[in-house]
Amino acid sequence: MSNITISLPDGSSRELPEDSTVLDLAASIGSGLRKAAVAGAIDGREVDLGTPLHDGAQVAIITNDTDAGRHVLRHSTAHVLAQAVTLLFPGAKFTIGPAIENGFYYDFELPDGKTFSEEDLEAIEAKMREIVKENQPFVRSEHSMAEAKEIFADQPYKVEIIERVESAQEGGGAADAEDAGEVAGDGKISAYRNTDQFVDMCVGPHVPSTGKLGFFKLQRVSGAYWRGNEKGPMLQRIYGTAWESKQALNDHLHQLEEALKRDHRKLAVEQDLLSFPSELGGGLAVWHPKGAIIRKLMEDYSRFRHEQGGYEFVYTPHLADSGLFETSGHLSWYAEGMYPPMEMDNGTYYPKPMNCPMHCLIYGSRQRSYRELPLRLFELGTVYRYERAGTLHGLMRIRGFTQDDSHIYCTKEQLAEEIAALLDFVLSVLRAFGFDEFTFNLSTKDPEKYVGSDEIWDEATEALREALDAHGLEYAVKEGDAAFYGPKIDIDVRDAIGRSWQLSTIQADFQLPERFDLEYVGADNNRHRPIMLHRALMGSIERFFGVLVEHYAGAFPTWLAPVQVRVLPVAEAHGAYADEVVAQLRAAGARVDAAAADDGLGKRIRTAKMDKLPYVLVVGDDDMAAKTVGVNPRGGDVERDVPLDEFIARFTSEVADAASVAFGS
RNA sequence: GCCCAGAUAGCUCAGUCGGUAGAGCAACGCAUUCGUAAUGCGUAGGUCGUGGGUUCGAUUCCCACUCUGGGCUCCA
C-alpha cells in the first residue's frame, strides 16, 4: 500500500497511507486537533472530515473555534433542530435552516397553520439534547434531481428548491444564492442523513456526528416569510445560538445580557431621559429635561461644528403642498412611507419625509453663480415618516425624527474635494462622541433602478472611491445598493461592546437638481446643472442619542452628563456649606445639584452612583472648616480634603478639554 | 402590514381555577444628623391598556382596537 503526500497551510507536508481521510490527517498531527476538527478544506473546497484525501492535495483542518468551524457547528445544529421539530410535530414541513452570525435558524411550516409557542422551545431543545446524546452520524449522499425529489416527496419546500435549481440549470443560469446553499454545484443534490427518519438536503460540510454538538441554546420563535416574500406563506422560524464550548456559549449569553442592560429604552426610563407615551401614538417620543439637556448639547455641538465648517443655516417648515413632493419625486417613489395627506381648502399637504426638496427651493429662489459654490445648506430638520407598525423600535426606528441634514450644491469639478473634506468632517464629529472604529461601505448603481447618465454615475462613484482611497480607508463595495438617484458612502461605527451601527451617510444626487431645474451661471457665462450631496452625520438625532446611551451604558461623559456633580452634606449642619459649593460650581458653569441629609450618606451615595453621575462631592465638618470637598468620582477612588478651588479648576479644565476635543478649538 | 408574545401602583414584578388586588423600590410624613453603594417606623398610591361581548358578577373567559417586545418584510 502506497502513501500519499498532503501539503498543509503552513507550507509543510505530510505522508499518510492511501485512503486516509481529513480526520486521519488531523489525528496524525495531534489528538487536540483531532478533537477540535469539525471539517476540512481540500484544495480550498470545504468537505466533511470523512472525505478521503488524494495525493498532492492542499488540506486545511477547520477547527471548531474558527468562524468557518462555528459555521459548520451551527449549520449542523440547525439540522438537529429540524429533526427535533419533525419528531415532536409530525407533519411539519421544513424549509431552510442556515447558520447566521452567532447562531442559526430554521424555518418550518406546521400542519393546520399551527404555530410555535415559547414553551415549545423547551421541549424542542430537550429533544435536541437527546439527539446529540444519541451521537447520530451525518451521512452524506449525492442524488440526481429525480432521486432527490423522490427522497423529499413529502417535503414540498425542498421539492420547490430542487425544481428551481433544476430549471435554473436547464436555463443555463446559476441557482440563486439561497438555493446554492442547499445543493451541490455539479447538478447533483447532496443530502445528509441522521436517521432512517430524518434526512435533509444540504451542501455541507457537517460534523461527523451529533455528539460533536451540544453547546447551543434556542432563543426565540418568530414568523418569517417563505423566501422573504411578503406575499408568500408565513413560516415559523426558530432562532438559536451554538458554540464550540460551554465557555464560548456563556460568553455570548453574557454579551447579550450586557446589551440588554444597556438597552436605551430601559435606561431612558431609569434615568428619566424621555418616554414614548401611548397617548402620543406609536414611534413618537417626548424628551424629559434630562434627556433634553443631552440632546441640546449634541445639537449645540453639531451647530458649532457646522458653523466652523462653512455651512449656512436654514429653517424649513414641517408641511408642504403635495406639488412639492410631486416635483421632488417623493410621492411617486415613497408615498407609502409618507404620513397620509391633509386636505385643506387650498390644496393637499403632507408632513415632510425629507428636508431636501425645501433646501432645493432655497437654492432655486434666485439665480446662483459658480462663485457661490459649494453652497452648503444645513438644518436640524424634523421629518415624519410612516414606518410600518411592526418596524418601530425605541429611538432606533421612529416616526418623527430630526436629521442633522445638509445639502451641498457644487460643480462636478468640486465633487471629489468636497467629498474628501466631508469624510474628515464626519469622522471628527463621530470621534467627539467616543467612537473611534469605523467601517465604510460604498454603494454603487443598481442597474435595474437608477436615473442619470452612466457617465455621471461613473464620475461620482469614482469621486467617492478616490476620497476613501485618499484617506487610506478600507471599505466594502456594495454593488447595486445605491439609491436610485446616486451612489453613496455609508459609515458604520463600532460601539463599546463591539456592535456596529450605521450612522452617517454621504450621497450624491443627480436627480433632484434636474427635477427642480437648479442651475448656476458658470465662469463661461453659461448655465450649468449643479450636483447635490445629501449628507447626515449623526443621521437621526434621536437614533444617535439612543446609540450614545447604549455606547456609554448611560454613563455619559462629563461634558454631556445631565447632572455633572452632586453635593452631599454629611449632616444637616453642613447644608449651608453644600449650598455654597453648589453655587460656586454653578457659577463655574457646572450642572450641579445637592441632596440634603434627609437620608443616610450611604444611601445618597448609592443613589448618585445608580444615577451614574460623574462626580459626587461629600462635605462635612473638616471641609467646612478648610473650604475643601471629598471627591468621589465615577469609576475612581475617593479623595478627601480637596480644596474646593482646586476641584473647580480640575472640573472646568476636564470639561474644557473634552470640549476642545469635541469642538476642535 | 404579517407571525408570536405581552400590557396589574411612578419602576420591577406577584396574584386572582370568574366574587373589583399584593410585595420590594420610588413618593410623602415622622423620628434619626450620619464621612463614601440601601437607618427605622408609618402614610398614600391601582375603574388590573381602551372599548365591546358572555355572565347574577369580568382585572381574570371571548372579540376588536391601542401600545410594547422578538422576528419577517420595509427603511428615500
Side-chain angles (χ1 to χ4, degrees):
Chain A
M1 180 154 139
S2 59
N3 281 354
I4 55 174
T5 305
I6 302 302
S7 21
L8 295 167
D10 64 0
S12 67
S13 59
R14 222 158 232 279
E15 292 216 357
L16 288 168
E18 221 174 10
D19 299 333
S20 291
T21 64
V22 178
L23 185 60
D24 294 331
L25 171 66
S28 81
I29 297 171
S31 67
L33 186 62
R34 179 178 55 83
K35 275 177 78 174
V38 291
I42 301 180
D43 300 328
R45 194 170 53 89
E46 290 195 6
V47 296
D48 296 321
L49 285 176
T51 310
L53 300 170
H54 62 265
D55 191 35
Q58 272 281 352
V59 183
I61 306 295
I62 297 174
T63 55
N64 60 15
D65 59 351
T66 61
D67 285 346
R70 292 191 190 104
H71 191 272
V72 172
L73 286 178
R74 289 166 185 160
H75 201 172
S76 298
T77 308
H79 279 228
V80 173
L81 167 60
Q83 185 187 159
V85 168
T86 54
L87 289 171
L88 291 172
F89 299 84
K93 309 298 179 211
F94 48 107
T95 67
I96 59 167
I100 54 175
E101 192 183 1
N102 297 330
F104 59 91
Y105 68 79
Y106 216 115
D107 285 349
F108 301 94
E109 184 185 77
L110 298 183
D112 310 319
K114 269 195 295 207
T115 57
F116 291 121
S117 66
E118 301 283 338
E119 296 84 69
D120 291 332
L121 283 190
E122 276 178 47
I124 295 167
E125 194 172 309
K127 180 60 80 178
M128 288 172 70
R129 304 225 176 266
E130 284 175 34
I131 294 168
V132 166
K133 211 165 171 196
E134 286 169 18
N135 198 19
Q136 299 170 359
F138 276 87
V139 182
R140 183 188 174 91
S141 56
E142 292 189 0
H143 309 277
S144 68
M145 298 286 178
E147 279 169 8
K149 277 191 261 186
E150 189 71 21
I151 294 170
F152 293 104
D154 60 345
Q155 290 294 340
Y157 291 96
K158 295 292 177 188
V159 171
E160 187 184 322
I161 293 168
I162 296 165
E163 283 172 349
R164 271 175 56 126
V165 172
E166 206 168 25
S167 64
Q169 284 176 352
E170 278 165 10
D176 65 36
E178 203 177 319
D179 295 326
E182 298 288 324
V183 299
D186 52 5
K188 290 273 192 186
I189 298 284
S190 59
Y192 283 80
R193 182 175 286 283
N194 291 115
T195 68
D196 293 346
Q197 276 75 45
F198 186 79
V199 58
D200 193 1
M201 198 159 86
C202 191
V203 277
H206 280 288
V207 295
S209 66
T210 56
K212 277 260 186 188
L213 310 170
F215 306 107
F216 64 85
K217 185 169 166 46
L218 296 186
Q219 293 169 299
R220 50 183 165 264
V221 300
S222 76
Y225 297 110
W226 169 235
R227 291 189 183 282
N229 174 5
E230 231 181 320
K231 308 247 161 25
M234 175 61 74
L235 304 172
Q236 291 286 303
R237 175 170 299 180
I238 295 179
Y239 282 94
T241 185
W243 297 84
E244 70 277 14
S245 66
K246 184 91 191 157
Q247 182 66 45
L249 173 62
N250 284 342
D251 286 351
H252 176 65
L253 295 176
H254 277 127
Q255 162 90 3
L256 292 179
E257 272 174 41
E258 179 57 29
L260 218 58
K261 274 191 229 155
R262 289 168 174 258
D263 192 313
H264 72 281
R265 293 163 302 189
K266 184 175 138 77
L267 288 168
V269 174
E270 283 175 9
Q271 299 192 11
D272 197 16
L273 302 176
L274 49 85
S275 57
F276 295 90
S278 58
E279 295 89 334
L280 255 189
L284 298 168
V286 288
W287 293 71
H288 303 191
K290 287 203 173 104
I293 182 71
I294 299 171
R295 174 173 174 166
K296 178 182 176 293
L297 289 161
M298 291 163 58
E299 292 181 346
D300 286 349
Y301 174 64
S302 173
R303 288 198 184 94
F304 174 83
R305 291 299 307 270
H306 281 88
E307 217 168 337
Q308 300 286 302
Y311 288 78
E312 299 183 72
F313 288 32
V314 298
Y315 293 94
T316 63
H318 291 204
L319 301 177
D321 188 276
S322 58
L324 180 68
F325 299 118
E326 275 158 25
T327 303
S328 70
H330 286 99
L331 274 175
S332 50
W333 289 90
Y334 307 112
E336 78 292 346
M338 290 169 65
Y339 264 71
M342 285 168 268
E343 299 297 339
M344 295 198 248
D345 41 16
N346 61 342
T348 304
Y349 286 74
Y350 284 88
K352 64 174 167 181
M354 289 183 86
N355 303 302
C356 41
M358 300 190 181
H359 291 183
C360 286
L361 292 180
I362 294 169
Y363 182 98
S365 64
R366 62 172 169 80
Q367 195 172 57
R368 300 284 173 181
S369 152
Y370 75 98
R371 295 173 193 276
E372 291 181 74
L373 306 185
L375 179 69
R376 309 183 186 95
L377 301 182
F378 173 77
E379 177 176 17
L380 288 168
T382 302
V383 298
Y384 295 89
R385 296 181 183 178
Y386 179 72
E387 302 287 358
R388 299 211 273 176
T391 65
L392 299 174
H393 180 89
L395 289 171
M396 303 305 183
R397 194 79 181 268
I398 195 171
R399 283 181 175 157
F401 61 94
T402 304
Q403 296 176 307
D404 59 337
D405 203 6
S406 177
H407 298 95
I408 300 173
Y409 301 86
C410 65
T411 69
K412 222 165 57 175
E413 292 71 33
Q414 291 169 332
L415 192 59
E417 193 184 334
E418 194 61 27
I419 291 166
L422 257 177
L423 272 177
D424 284 330
F425 189 60
V426 172
L427 296 187
S428 104
V429 169
L430 293 178
R431 285 200 177 96
F433 290 97
F435 298 111
D436 46 24
E437 258 189 85
F438 310 101
T439 328
F440 302 85
N441 292 305
L442 174 64
S443 296
T444 62
K445 187 172 67 185
D446 179 352
E448 308 279 302
K449 190 183 166 193
Y450 74 100
V451 299
S453 72
D454 289 344
E455 188 200 343
I456 196 158
W457 268 89
D458 290 346
E459 264 179 62
T461 308
E462 209 40 50
L464 293 171
R465 192 189 297 274
E466 270 171 28
L468 288 164
D469 288 337
H471 284 71
L473 301 170
E474 287 190 23
Y475 55 93
V477 176
K478 295 198 167 171
E479 301 284 351
D481 234 29
F484 70 92
Y485 51 69
K488 62 171 177 176
I489 295 172
D490 288 327
I491 301 170
D492 297 0
V493 304
R494 194 162 280 269
D495 75 7
I497 57 169
R499 294 173 302 175
S500 183
W501 304 92
Q502 208 252 96
L503 297 177
S504 313
T505 186
I506 301 174
Q507 313 187 347
D509 188 344
F510 321 127
Q511 163 88 344
L512 280 186
E514 197 77 34
R515 283 180 164 268
F516 281 90
D517 195 23
L518 302 182
E519 295 176 334
Y520 64 90
V521 178
D524 59 2
N525 200 30
N526 287 323
R527 289 171 184 239
H528 303 274
R529 188 75 76 206
I531 287 180
M532 183 174 166
L533 289 170
H534 304 245
R535 41 106 292 179
L537 311 187
M538 301 180 191
S540 146
I541 303 285
E542 286 78 355
R543 183 176 133 90
F544 190 78
F545 178 87
V547 172
L548 277 190
V549 170
E550 305 209 358
H551 177 59
Y552 291 128
F556 284 92
T558 306
W559 76 282
L560 282 173
V563 178
Q564 298 168 311
V565 184
R566 176 165 298 160
V567 184
L568 310 183
V570 171
E572 216 167 281
H574 314 118
Y577 179 60
D579 290 344
E580 189 188 328
V581 172
V582 166
Q584 289 201 31
L585 277 162
R586 189 165 289 146
R591 291 184 293 278
V592 53
D593 64 14
D598 297 331
D599 281 316
L601 181 63
K603 169 70 166 293
R604 285 175 288 150
I605 288 174
R606 179 168 194 271
T607 305
K609 293 293 176 188
M610 307 264 280
D611 288 346
K612 307 192 181 183
L613 302 186
Y615 290 101
V616 176
L617 301 186
V618 175
V619 295
D621 286 333
D622 303 345
D623 298 297
M624 232 164 96
K627 297 288 176 212
T628 57
V629 293
V631 179
N632 185 337
R634 184 175 63 199
D637 295 328
V638 172
E639 194 182 350
R640 287 285 302 269
D641 305 320
V642 178
L644 176 57
D645 292 346
E646 185 187 326
F647 176 75
I648 290 175
R650 279 197 228 162
F651 176 85
T652 48
S653 98
E654 180 194 340
V655 174
D657 285 352
S660 76
V661 171
F663 287 69
S665 61

